[in-house]
Structure formats: C-alpha cells, structure tokens
Amino acid sequence: MCSSAPWVAIVMDFETSAGVVAYRWDKGQAEPLFLILHYEEGHWDLPKGHGEKGESLEAAALRELKEETGISDASLAVGFKEKITYNYRRGGRMYTKNVYFFIGEAKSEAVALSPEHTDYKWLDYADALGVVTYGTAREILKKAHDFLVVPRPPA
C-alpha cells in the first residue's frame, strides 16, 4: 500500500517597492555617510516603500524617502539601480517582494522621521554595515559604496 502526503497549495502574492540609499558628504571626508532608519518592528534598514499606481520606481523611491525622512532635496545618481527579492508571511499569506534601490545624495543632514520609524543614523560605510539588520541591505550598501568611491575606468 502506498501512502502519499497531501499536496498543499501555497498562494503567493507579489509586491514591488522602491527605496533610496541616501548619502551625504561631510566637508573634509573621503567617504560618504549613509542614512539608516530604525523601524518600529525593531530592525535597522534603508528607506523604502510601496509605489503608487502609475508611479515610476524612481518617483516612488524619492516620494518614500521624503515621506519617511523629510528629505526632499535628494537627486538620484544615473547608472545605479539594484534589486533585492525576498519572501515573507503576513496574515497567513506568503509574499514575494521585489525592492528596487537607487542611490541619492542629500544636500543636508536634517531628518524628520515618519511615525513608522523610531530613530536614524548617518553612518560611514563600515559602521552602517554593522548596524543594518538584513544581509540584503548590507549587499545594497556595498554596491552603493563601491559605486560612489571605487574608481571606474573611463567609458
């Protein structure tokens, strides 16, 4: 007699978000400072959020940066767009989320946090790597850091 386990169907929902690796330069510093946010849930991460209908990824990233930090003067760098993908469960459903990150220079250090955040830090690269909670955020930070400070051959 053959027994088999019943099949379980897993329904996956898909989400797309956009974020900004916000950075600024302090006078006399050789490397940029990166903005890291402390979320209500307890983790440290980069600013990001869901796009709105008809909104480009770049526009969503800048809007989310403004909503979460009050930074409205960031300009996105040309040539930097990175994607991370992860799965999570919410309310008994599984989600696959794609988050597209851009890199944006903030002109000032002033931050006005949204209610979903409890703290923020402007950190150099090494300190930022040690603070962010998730490995995917560390990967994005590394790519952003390399984009900003590692010399590239002329085109």
mmCIF file of all heavy atoms in Angstrom, residues 17-67:
data_model
loop_
_atom_site.group_PDB
_atom_site.id
_atom_site.type_symbol
_atom_site.label_atom_id
_atom_site.label_comp_id
_atom_site.label_asym_id
_atom_site.label_seq_id
_atom_site.Cartn_x
_atom_site.Cartn_y
_atom_site.Cartn_z
ATOM 1 N N SER A 17 8.422 47.382 -4.288
ATOM 2 C CA SER A 17 8.738 48.584 -3.534
ATOM 3 C C SER A 17 9.967 49.242 -4.151
ATOM 4 O O SER A 17 10.659 48.642 -4.965
ATOM 5 C CB SER A 17 9.031 48.251 -2.065
ATOM 6 O OG SER A 17 7.864 47.867 -1.392
ATOM 7 N N ALA A 18 10.201 50.474 -3.723
ATOM 8 C CA ALA A 18 11.378 51.202 -4.186
ATOM 9 C C ALA A 18 11.977 51.945 -3.003
ATOM 10 O O ALA A 18 11.265 52.364 -2.090
ATOM 11 C CB ALA A 18 11.007 52.171 -5.296
ATOM 12 N N GLY A 19 13.295 52.087 -3.039
ATOM 13 C CA GLY A 19 13.980 52.767 -1.951
ATOM 14 C C GLY A 19 15.187 53.539 -2.435
ATOM 15 O O GLY A 19 15.591 53.430 -3.597
ATOM 16 N N VAL A 20 15.735 54.312 -1.512
ATOM 17 C CA VAL A 20 16.900 55.131 -1.815
ATOM 18 C C VAL A 20 17.989 54.853 -0.795
ATOM 19 O O VAL A 20 17.731 54.866 0.411
ATOM 20 C CB VAL A 20 16.559 56.636 -1.783
ATOM 21 C CG1 VAL A 20 17.804 57.488 -2.003
ATOM 22 C CG2 VAL A 20 15.497 56.974 -2.811
ATOM 23 N N VAL A 21 19.177 54.589 -1.287
ATOM 24 C CA VAL A 21 20.345 54.599 -0.420
ATOM 25 C C VAL A 21 20.751 56.066 -0.357
ATOM 26 O O VAL A 21 21.379 56.597 -1.267
ATOM 27 C CB VAL A 21 21.497 53.741 -0.984
ATOM 28 C CG1 VAL A 21 22.696 53.782 -0.044
ATOM 29 C CG2 VAL A 21 21.039 52.311 -1.232
ATOM 30 N N ALA A 22 20.303 56.736 0.709
ATOM 31 C CA ALA A 22 20.577 58.165 0.856
ATOM 32 C C ALA A 22 21.970 58.343 1.452
ATOM 33 O O ALA A 22 22.348 57.650 2.398
ATOM 34 C CB ALA A 22 19.521 58.813 1.746
ATOM 35 N N TYR A 23 22.715 59.275 0.898
ATOM 36 C CA TYR A 23 24.054 59.556 1.398
ATOM 37 C C TYR A 23 24.289 61.056 1.366
ATOM 38 O O TYR A 23 23.578 61.815 0.700
ATOM 39 C CB TYR A 23 25.112 58.819 0.574
ATOM 40 C CG TYR A 23 25.306 59.369 -0.816
ATOM 41 C CD1 TYR A 23 26.313 60.291 -1.078
ATOM 42 C CD2 TYR A 23 24.471 58.981 -1.860
ATOM 43 C CE1 TYR A 23 26.489 60.811 -2.353
ATOM 44 C CE2 TYR A 23 24.644 59.498 -3.129
ATOM 45 C CZ TYR A 23 25.654 60.412 -3.367
ATOM 46 O OH TYR A 23 25.820 60.931 -4.628
ATOM 47 N N ARG A 24 25.286 61.479 2.104
ATOM 48 C CA ARG A 24 25.724 62.872 2.072
ATOM 49 C C ARG A 24 27.220 62.911 2.332
ATOM 50 O O ARG A 24 27.789 61.985 2.883
ATOM 51 C CB ARG A 24 24.969 63.744 3.064
ATOM 52 C CG ARG A 24 25.231 63.410 4.500
ATOM 53 C CD ARG A 24 24.421 64.325 5.441
ATOM 54 N NE ARG A 24 24.625 63.951 6.814
ATOM 55 C CZ ARG A 24 25.659 64.321 7.561
ATOM 56 N NH1 ARG A 24 26.585 65.111 7.055
ATOM 57 N NH2 ARG A 24 25.781 63.922 8.811
ATOM 58 N N TRP A 25 27.835 64.008 1.929
ATOM 59 C CA TRP A 25 29.256 64.206 2.144
ATOM 60 C C TRP A 25 29.436 65.258 3.220
ATOM 61 O O TRP A 25 28.822 66.322 3.169
ATOM 62 C CB TRP A 25 29.938 64.688 0.868
ATOM 63 C CG TRP A 25 29.920 63.692 -0.242
ATOM 64 C CD1 TRP A 25 29.008 63.617 -1.256
ATOM 65 C CD2 TRP A 25 30.844 62.628 -0.463
ATOM 66 N NE1 TRP A 25 29.307 62.564 -2.084
ATOM 67 C CE2 TRP A 25 30.436 61.948 -1.623
ATOM 68 C CE3 TRP A 25 31.979 62.180 0.211
ATOM 69 C CZ2 TRP A 25 31.121 60.852 -2.139
ATOM 70 C CZ3 TRP A 25 32.655 61.093 -0.303
ATOM 71 C CH2 TRP A 25 32.235 60.441 -1.457
ATOM 72 N N ASP A 26 30.252 64.979 4.210
ATOM 73 C CA ASP A 26 30.671 65.991 5.170
ATOM 74 C C ASP A 26 31.959 66.598 4.661
ATOM 75 O O ASP A 26 32.784 65.898 4.056
ATOM 76 C CB ASP A 26 30.918 65.357 6.558
ATOM 77 C CG ASP A 26 29.682 65.367 7.427
ATOM 78 O OD1 ASP A 26 28.666 65.975 7.033
ATOM 79 O OD2 ASP A 26 29.724 64.760 8.517
ATOM 80 N N LYS A 27 32.137 67.879 4.917
ATOM 81 C CA LYS A 27 33.362 68.546 4.454
ATOM 82 C C LYS A 27 34.590 67.843 5.011
ATOM 83 O O LYS A 27 34.634 67.475 6.180
ATOM 84 C CB LYS A 27 33.354 69.999 4.892
ATOM 85 C CG LYS A 27 32.334 70.812 4.160
ATOM 86 C CD LYS A 27 32.408 72.257 4.535
ATOM 87 C CE LYS A 27 31.255 72.927 3.839
ATOM 88 N NZ LYS A 27 31.432 74.224 3.430
ATOM 89 N N GLY A 28 35.532 67.635 4.146
ATOM 90 C CA GLY A 28 36.793 67.042 4.552
ATOM 91 C C GLY A 28 36.779 65.524 4.645
ATOM 92 O O GLY A 28 37.809 64.920 4.921
ATOM 93 N N GLN A 29 35.641 64.895 4.414
ATOM 94 C CA GLN A 29 35.581 63.431 4.494
ATOM 95 C C GLN A 29 35.873 62.814 3.148
ATOM 96 O O GLN A 29 35.431 63.314 2.113
ATOM 97 C CB GLN A 29 34.201 62.972 4.973
ATOM 98 C CG GLN A 29 34.046 63.061 6.473
ATOM 99 C CD GLN A 29 32.884 62.209 6.929
ATOM 100 O OE1 GLN A 29 31.803 62.707 7.114
ATOM 101 N NE2 GLN A 29 33.143 60.921 7.089
ATOM 102 N N ALA A 30 36.588 61.702 3.172
ATOM 103 C CA ALA A 30 36.926 60.998 1.943
ATOM 104 C C ALA A 30 35.805 60.066 1.498
ATOM 105 O O ALA A 30 35.768 59.658 0.350
ATOM 106 C CB ALA A 30 38.213 60.193 2.139
ATOM 107 N N GLU A 31 34.914 59.718 2.424
ATOM 108 C CA GLU A 31 33.827 58.790 2.106
ATOM 109 C C GLU A 31 32.496 59.370 2.553
ATOM 110 O O GLU A 31 32.431 60.169 3.486
ATOM 111 C CB GLU A 31 34.069 57.439 2.782
ATOM 112 C CG GLU A 31 35.294 56.741 2.248
ATOM 113 C CD GLU A 31 35.180 55.233 2.312
ATOM 114 O OE1 GLU A 31 34.148 54.707 2.744
ATOM 115 O OE2 GLU A 31 36.159 54.592 1.913
ATOM 116 N N PRO A 32 31.412 58.946 1.899
ATOM 117 C CA PRO A 32 30.092 59.467 2.248
ATOM 118 C C PRO A 32 29.556 58.858 3.545
ATOM 119 O O PRO A 32 30.028 57.821 4.001
ATOM 120 C CB PRO A 32 29.227 59.031 1.063
ATOM 121 C CG PRO A 32 29.888 57.781 0.570
ATOM 122 C CD PRO A 32 31.356 57.993 0.783
ATOM 123 N N LEU A 33 28.544 59.520 4.091
ATOM 124 C CA LEU A 33 27.772 58.984 5.213
ATOM 125 C C LEU A 33 26.449 58.474 4.653
ATOM 126 O O LEU A 33 25.848 59.114 3.782
ATOM 127 C CB LEU A 33 27.515 60.068 6.257
ATOM 128 C CG LEU A 33 28.752 60.658 6.914
ATOM 129 C CD1 LEU A 33 28.358 61.811 7.834
ATOM 130 C CD2 LEU A 33 29.518 59.600 7.691
ATOM 131 N N PHE A 34 25.990 57.337 5.158
ATOM 132 C CA PHE A 34 24.759 56.717 4.684
ATOM 133 C C PHE A 34 23.671 56.831 5.740
ATOM 134 O O PHE A 34 23.947 56.714 6.940
ATOM 135 C CB PHE A 34 25.007 55.241 4.346
ATOM 136 C CG PHE A 34 25.945 55.054 3.188
ATOM 137 C CD1 PHE A 34 27.292 54.799 3.414
ATOM 138 C CD2 PHE A 34 25.490 55.135 1.887
ATOM 139 C CE1 PHE A 34 28.166 54.630 2.354
ATOM 140 C CE2 PHE A 34 26.364 54.976 0.814
ATOM 141 C CZ PHE A 34 27.707 54.716 1.053
ATOM 142 N N LEU A 35 22.430 57.012 5.299
ATOM 143 C CA LEU A 35 21.290 57.139 6.201
ATOM 144 C C LEU A 35 20.661 55.773 6.451
ATOM 145 O O LEU A 35 20.261 55.085 5.511
ATOM 146 C CB LEU A 35 20.240 58.082 5.606
ATOM 147 C CG LEU A 35 18.993 58.301 6.454
ATOM 148 C CD1 LEU A 35 19.330 58.930 7.802
ATOM 149 C CD2 LEU A 35 17.984 59.160 5.688
ATOM 150 N N ILE A 36 20.584 55.398 7.725
ATOM 151 C CA ILE A 36 19.986 54.136 8.142
ATOM 152 C C ILE A 36 18.822 54.468 9.082
ATOM 153 O O ILE A 36 18.967 55.299 9.975
ATOM 154 C CB ILE A 36 21.014 53.245 8.884
ATOM 155 C CG1 ILE A 36 22.327 53.135 8.097
ATOM 156 C CG2 ILE A 36 20.431 51.878 9.197
ATOM 157 C CD1 ILE A 36 22.197 52.515 6.743
ATOM 158 N N LEU A 37 17.676 53.800 8.883
ATOM 159 C CA LEU A 37 16.485 54.059 9.692
ATOM 160 C C LEU A 37 16.185 52.899 10.630
ATOM 161 O O LEU A 37 16.351 51.735 10.261
ATOM 162 C CB LEU A 37 15.265 54.276 8.787
ATOM 163 C CG LEU A 37 15.352 55.394 7.761
ATOM 164 C CD1 LEU A 37 14.060 55.448 6.948
ATOM 165 C CD2 LEU A 37 15.642 56.725 8.414
ATOM 166 N N HIS A 38 15.706 53.228 11.829
ATOM 167 C CA HIS A 38 15.257 52.218 12.789
ATOM 168 C C HIS A 38 13.742 52.133 12.678
ATOM 169 O O HIS A 38 13.027 53.109 12.923
ATOM 170 C CB HIS A 38 15.677 52.600 14.210
ATOM 171 C CG HIS A 38 15.488 51.503 15.186
ATOM 172 N ND1 HIS A 38 14.688 51.633 16.294
ATOM 173 C CD2 HIS A 38 15.973 50.246 15.221
ATOM 174 C CE1 HIS A 38 14.708 50.500 16.980
ATOM 175 N NE2 HIS A 38 15.483 49.649 16.335
ATOM 176 N N TYR A 39 13.252 50.970 12.286
ATOM 177 C CA TYR A 39 11.817 50.753 12.087
ATOM 178 C C TYR A 39 11.148 50.343 13.390
ATOM 179 O O TYR A 39 11.795 49.762 14.267
ATOM 180 C CB TYR A 39 11.602 49.677 11.017
ATOM 181 C CG TYR A 39 11.865 50.187 9.613
ATOM 182 C CD1 TYR A 39 13.159 50.430 9.175
ATOM 183 C CD2 TYR A 39 10.827 50.452 8.746
ATOM 184 C CE1 TYR A 39 13.404 50.915 7.897
ATOM 185 C CE2 TYR A 39 11.056 50.932 7.463
ATOM 186 C CZ TYR A 39 12.346 51.163 7.049
ATOM 187 O OH TYR A 39 12.583 51.641 5.787
ATOM 188 N N GLU A 40 9.857 50.630 13.510
ATOM 189 C CA GLU A 40 9.085 50.280 14.716
ATOM 190 C C GLU A 40 9.235 48.806 15.097
ATOM 191 O O GLU A 40 9.229 48.467 16.273
ATOM 192 C CB GLU A 40 7.595 50.559 14.486
ATOM 193 C CG GLU A 40 7.199 51.992 14.601
ATOM 194 C CD GLU A 40 5.695 52.153 14.459
ATOM 195 O OE1 GLU A 40 5.107 51.565 13.525
ATOM 196 O OE2 GLU A 40 5.119 52.850 15.297
ATOM 197 N N GLU A 41 9.350 47.941 14.085
ATOM 198 C CA GLU A 41 9.448 46.496 14.337
ATOM 199 C C GLU A 41 10.781 46.111 14.977
ATOM 200 O O GLU A 41 10.964 44.982 15.401
ATOM 201 C CB GLU A 41 9.250 45.708 13.036
ATOM 202 C CG GLU A 41 7.881 45.860 12.413
ATOM 203 C CD GLU A 41 7.773 47.091 11.513
ATOM 204 O OE1 GLU A 41 8.795 47.774 11.257
ATOM 205 O OE2 GLU A 41 6.651 47.392 11.069
ATOM 206 N N GLY A 42 11.729 47.034 14.997
ATOM 207 C CA GLY A 42 12.994 46.783 15.679
ATOM 208 C C GLY A 42 14.214 46.655 14.794
ATOM 209 O O GLY A 42 15.330 46.596 15.288
ATOM 210 N N HIS A 43 14.038 46.599 13.490
ATOM 211 C CA HIS A 43 15.198 46.423 12.603
ATOM 212 C C HIS A 43 15.692 47.766 12.069
ATOM 213 O O HIS A 43 14.972 48.757 12.055
ATOM 214 C CB HIS A 43 14.856 45.472 11.452
ATOM 215 C CG HIS A 43 13.771 45.981 10.551
ATOM 216 N ND1 HIS A 43 12.433 45.918 10.866
ATOM 217 C CD2 HIS A 43 13.838 46.568 9.340
ATOM 218 C CE1 HIS A 43 11.721 46.435 9.892
ATOM 219 N NE2 HIS A 43 12.545 46.854 8.948
ATOM 220 N N TRP A 44 16.957 47.771 11.661
ATOM 221 C CA TRP A 44 17.588 48.918 11.002
ATOM 222 C C TRP A 44 17.674 48.614 9.517
ATOM 223 O O TRP A 44 18.114 47.529 9.123
ATOM 224 C CB TRP A 44 18.979 49.162 11.559
ATOM 225 C CG TRP A 44 18.980 49.712 12.948
ATOM 226 C CD1 TRP A 44 18.950 48.995 14.111
ATOM 227 C CD2 TRP A 44 19.006 51.082 13.332
ATOM 228 N NE1 TRP A 44 18.967 49.848 15.186
ATOM 229 C CE2 TRP A 44 19.005 51.137 14.739
ATOM 230 C CE3 TRP A 44 19.045 52.286 12.628
ATOM 231 C CZ2 TRP A 44 19.035 52.334 15.446
ATOM 232 C CZ3 TRP A 44 19.082 53.477 13.319
ATOM 233 C CH2 TRP A 44 19.073 53.492 14.718
ATOM 234 N N ASP A 45 17.256 49.558 8.688
ATOM 235 C CA ASP A 45 17.200 49.301 7.252
ATOM 236 C C ASP A 45 17.288 50.609 6.479
ATOM 237 O O ASP A 45 17.367 51.695 7.063
ATOM 238 C CB ASP A 45 15.895 48.566 6.923
ATOM 239 C CG ASP A 45 15.966 47.715 5.674
ATOM 240 O OD1 ASP A 45 16.966 47.786 4.928
ATOM 241 O OD2 ASP A 45 14.994 46.971 5.414
ATOM 242 N N LEU A 46 17.235 50.493 5.177
ATOM 243 C CA LEU A 46 17.262 51.631 4.278
ATOM 244 C C LEU A 46 15.836 52.137 4.041
ATOM 245 O O LEU A 46 14.887 51.352 4.135
ATOM 246 C CB LEU A 46 17.889 51.210 2.949
ATOM 247 C CG LEU A 46 19.304 50.643 3.052
ATOM 248 C CD1 LEU A 46 19.698 49.950 1.759
ATOM 249 C CD2 LEU A 46 20.285 51.743 3.407
ATOM 250 N N PRO A 47 15.661 53.405 3.713
ATOM 251 C CA PRO A 47 14.327 53.932 3.422
ATOM 252 C C PRO A 47 13.748 53.281 2.162
ATOM 253 O O PRO A 47 14.410 53.225 1.125
ATOM 254 C CB PRO A 47 14.560 55.425 3.183
ATOM 255 C CG PRO A 47 15.941 55.718 3.636
ATOM 256 C CD PRO A 47 16.688 54.442 3.653
ATOM 257 N N LYS A 48 12.511 52.809 2.283
ATOM 258 C CA LYS A 48 11.853 52.178 1.133
ATOM 259 C C LYS A 48 10.358 52.068 1.400
ATOM 260 O O LYS A 48 9.913 52.191 2.532
ATOM 261 C CB LYS A 48 12.430 50.799 0.856
ATOM 262 C CG LYS A 48 12.176 49.787 1.964
ATOM 263 C CD LYS A 48 12.826 48.465 1.625
ATOM 264 C CE LYS A 48 12.622 47.408 2.678
ATOM 265 N NZ LYS A 48 13.082 47.757 4.003
ATOM 266 N N GLY A 49 9.593 51.830 0.334
ATOM 267 C CA GLY A 49 8.158 51.646 0.489
ATOM 268 C C GLY A 49 7.497 51.327 -0.834
ATOM 269 O O GLY A 49 8.144 51.294 -1.885
ATOM 270 N N HIS A 50 6.196 51.099 -0.762
ATOM 271 C CA HIS A 50 5.413 50.717 -1.932
ATOM 272 C C HIS A 50 5.197 51.884 -2.880
ATOM 273 O O HIS A 50 5.020 53.019 -2.445
ATOM 274 C CB HIS A 50 4.034 50.184 -1.498
ATOM 275 C CG HIS A 50 4.116 48.909 -0.750
ATOM 276 N ND1 HIS A 50 4.138 48.866 0.619
ATOM 277 C CD2 HIS A 50 4.205 47.635 -1.177
ATOM 278 C CE1 HIS A 50 4.223 47.597 1.009
ATOM 279 N NE2 HIS A 50 4.278 46.845 -0.060
ATOM 280 N N GLY A 51 5.173 51.556 -4.162
ATOM 281 C CA GLY A 51 4.844 52.547 -5.167
ATOM 282 C C GLY A 51 3.337 52.725 -5.262
ATOM 283 O O GLY A 51 2.566 51.889 -4.804
ATOM 284 N N GLU A 52 2.954 53.827 -5.838
ATOM 285 C CA GLU A 52 1.542 54.105 -6.083
ATOM 286 C C GLU A 52 1.237 53.843 -7.545
ATOM 287 O O GLU A 52 2.133 53.860 -8.392
ATOM 288 C CB GLU A 52 1.226 55.556 -5.706
ATOM 289 C CG GLU A 52 1.399 55.809 -4.222
ATOM 290 C CD GLU A 52 1.156 57.245 -3.812
ATOM 291 O OE1 GLU A 52 0.922 58.110 -4.695
ATOM 292 O OE2 GLU A 52 1.207 57.519 -2.598
ATOM 293 N N LYS A 53 -0.034 53.588 -7.833
ATOM 294 C CA LYS A 53 -0.452 53.254 -9.196
ATOM 295 C C LYS A 53 0.023 54.317 -10.183
ATOM 296 O O LYS A 53 -0.176 55.504 -9.972
ATOM 297 C CB LYS A 53 -1.970 53.108 -9.243
ATOM 298 C CG LYS A 53 -2.483 52.592 -10.560
ATOM 299 C CD LYS A 53 -3.969 52.316 -10.492
ATOM 300 C CE LYS A 53 -4.486 51.923 -11.846
ATOM 301 N NZ LYS A 53 -4.710 50.530 -11.995
ATOM 302 N N GLY A 54 0.686 53.857 -11.245
ATOM 303 C CA GLY A 54 1.154 54.740 -12.300
ATOM 304 C C GLY A 54 2.451 55.468 -11.993
ATOM 305 O O GLY A 54 2.932 56.246 -12.811
ATOM 306 N N GLU A 55 3.037 55.201 -10.833
ATOM 307 C CA GLU A 55 4.256 55.895 -10.411
ATOM 308 C C GLU A 55 5.483 55.108 -10.868
ATOM 309 O O GLU A 55 5.525 53.891 -10.746
ATOM 310 C CB GLU A 55 4.219 55.990 -8.884
ATOM 311 C CG GLU A 55 5.273 56.815 -8.246
ATOM 312 C CD GLU A 55 5.062 56.912 -6.737
ATOM 313 O OE1 GLU A 55 4.798 55.878 -6.077
ATOM 314 O OE2 GLU A 55 5.173 58.034 -6.227
ATOM 315 N N SER A 56 6.486 55.791 -11.375
ATOM 316 C CA SER A 56 7.722 55.108 -11.752
ATOM 317 C C SER A 56 8.455 54.671 -10.488
ATOM 318 O O SER A 56 8.207 55.186 -9.395
ATOM 319 C CB SER A 56 8.626 56.039 -12.570
ATOM 320 O OG SER A 56 9.164 57.059 -11.742
ATOM 321 N N LEU A 57 9.371 53.729 -10.641
ATOM 322 C CA LEU A 57 10.163 53.275 -9.500
ATOM 323 C C LEU A 57 10.984 54.422 -8.913
ATOM 324 O O LEU A 57 11.079 54.560 -7.694
ATOM 325 C CB LEU A 57 11.081 52.123 -9.915
ATOM 326 C CG LEU A 57 10.394 50.810 -10.257
ATOM 327 C CD1 LEU A 57 11.381 49.837 -10.899
ATOM 328 C CD2 LEU A 57 9.754 50.197 -9.019
ATOM 329 N N GLU A 58 11.558 55.238 -9.770
ATOM 330 C CA GLU A 58 12.358 56.373 -9.295
ATOM 331 C C GLU A 58 11.505 57.365 -8.507
ATOM 332 O O GLU A 58 11.916 57.842 -7.445
ATOM 333 C CB GLU A 58 13.035 57.088 -10.477
ATOM 334 C CG GLU A 58 14.085 56.261 -11.178
ATOM 335 C CD GLU A 58 13.528 55.358 -12.288
ATOM 336 O OE1 GLU A 58 12.294 55.187 -12.399
ATOM 337 O OE2 GLU A 58 14.333 54.816 -13.051
ATOM 338 N N ALA A 59 10.317 57.668 -9.033
ATOM 339 C CA ALA A 59 9.420 58.596 -8.340
ATOM 340 C C ALA A 59 8.961 58.016 -7.003
ATOM 341 O O ALA A 59 8.885 58.735 -6.000
ATOM 342 C CB ALA A 59 8.215 58.932 -9.216
ATOM 343 N N ALA A 60 8.679 56.717 -6.978
ATOM 344 C CA ALA A 60 8.271 56.062 -5.726
ATOM 345 C C ALA A 60 9.402 56.117 -4.703
ATOM 346 O O ALA A 60 9.167 56.382 -3.519
ATOM 347 C CB ALA A 60 7.866 54.617 -5.991
ATOM 348 N N ALA A 61 10.623 55.878 -5.143
ATOM 349 C CA ALA A 61 11.772 55.894 -4.237
ATOM 350 C C ALA A 61 11.943 57.284 -3.616
ATOM 351 O O ALA A 61 12.116 57.413 -2.398
ATOM 352 C CB ALA A 61 13.042 55.471 -4.981
ATOM 353 N N LEU A 62 11.873 58.325 -4.429
ATOM 354 C CA LEU A 62 12.031 59.687 -3.915
ATOM 355 C C LEU A 62 10.867 60.085 -3.007
ATOM 356 O O LEU A 62 11.066 60.745 -1.988
ATOM 357 C CB LEU A 62 12.173 60.680 -5.071
ATOM 358 C CG LEU A 62 13.514 60.640 -5.793
ATOM 359 C CD1 LEU A 62 13.472 61.487 -7.057
ATOM 360 C CD2 LEU A 62 14.647 61.086 -4.867
ATOM 361 N N ARG A 63 9.644 59.692 -3.378
ATOM 362 C CA ARG A 63 8.484 60.004 -2.530
ATOM 363 C C ARG A 63 8.616 59.312 -1.181
ATOM 364 O O ARG A 63 8.373 59.909 -0.130
ATOM 365 C CB ARG A 63 7.183 59.587 -3.226
ATOM 366 C CG ARG A 63 5.939 59.873 -2.363
ATOM 367 C CD ARG A 63 4.666 59.346 -2.999
ATOM 368 N NE ARG A 63 4.774 57.977 -3.471
ATOM 369 C CZ ARG A 63 4.783 56.897 -2.676
ATOM 370 N NH1 ARG A 63 4.723 57.009 -1.364
ATOM 371 N NH2 ARG A 63 4.874 55.686 -3.200
ATOM 372 N N GLU A 64 8.997 58.040 -1.193
ATOM 373 C CA GLU A 64 9.153 57.304 0.068
ATOM 374 C C GLU A 64 10.247 57.919 0.932
ATOM 375 O O GLU A 64 10.104 58.020 2.144
ATOM 376 C CB GLU A 64 9.446 55.826 -0.199
ATOM 377 C CG GLU A 64 8.227 55.027 -0.602
ATOM 378 C CD GLU A 64 7.184 54.909 0.502
ATOM 379 O OE1 GLU A 64 7.546 54.967 1.696
ATOM 380 O OE2 GLU A 64 6.000 54.744 0.174
ATOM 381 N N LEU A 65 11.349 58.335 0.307
ATOM 382 C CA LEU A 65 12.410 58.987 1.059
ATOM 383 C C LEU A 65 11.873 60.246 1.744
ATOM 384 O O LEU A 65 12.128 60.478 2.929
ATOM 385 C CB LEU A 65 13.581 59.337 0.132
ATOM 386 C CG LEU A 65 14.759 60.045 0.803
ATOM 387 C CD1 LEU A 65 15.439 59.125 1.821
ATOM 388 C CD2 LEU A 65 15.761 60.512 -0.248
ATOM 389 N N LYS A 66 11.103 61.029 1.012
ATOM 390 C CA LYS A 66 10.544 62.257 1.581
ATOM 391 C C LYS A 66 9.549 61.938 2.701
ATOM 392 O O LYS A 66 9.574 62.563 3.758
ATOM 393 C CB LYS A 66 9.871 63.084 0.495
ATOM 394 C CG LYS A 66 9.323 64.392 1.014
ATOM 395 C CD LYS A 66 8.721 65.230 -0.080
ATOM 396 C CE LYS A 66 8.181 66.531 0.502
ATOM 397 N NZ LYS A 66 7.551 67.360 -0.514
ATOM 398 N N GLU A 67 8.665 60.960 2.479
ATOM 399 C CA GLU A 67 7.662 60.612 3.490
ATOM 400 C C GLU A 67 8.298 60.055 4.763
ATOM 401 O O GLU A 67 7.832 60.337 5.861
ATOM 402 C CB GLU A 67 6.661 59.594 2.932
ATOM 403 C CG GLU A 67 5.707 60.168 1.915
ATOM 404 C CD GLU A 67 4.778 59.125 1.310
ATOM 405 O OE1 GLU A 67 4.837 57.933 1.723
ATOM 406 O OE2 GLU A 67 4.005 59.489 0.409
#
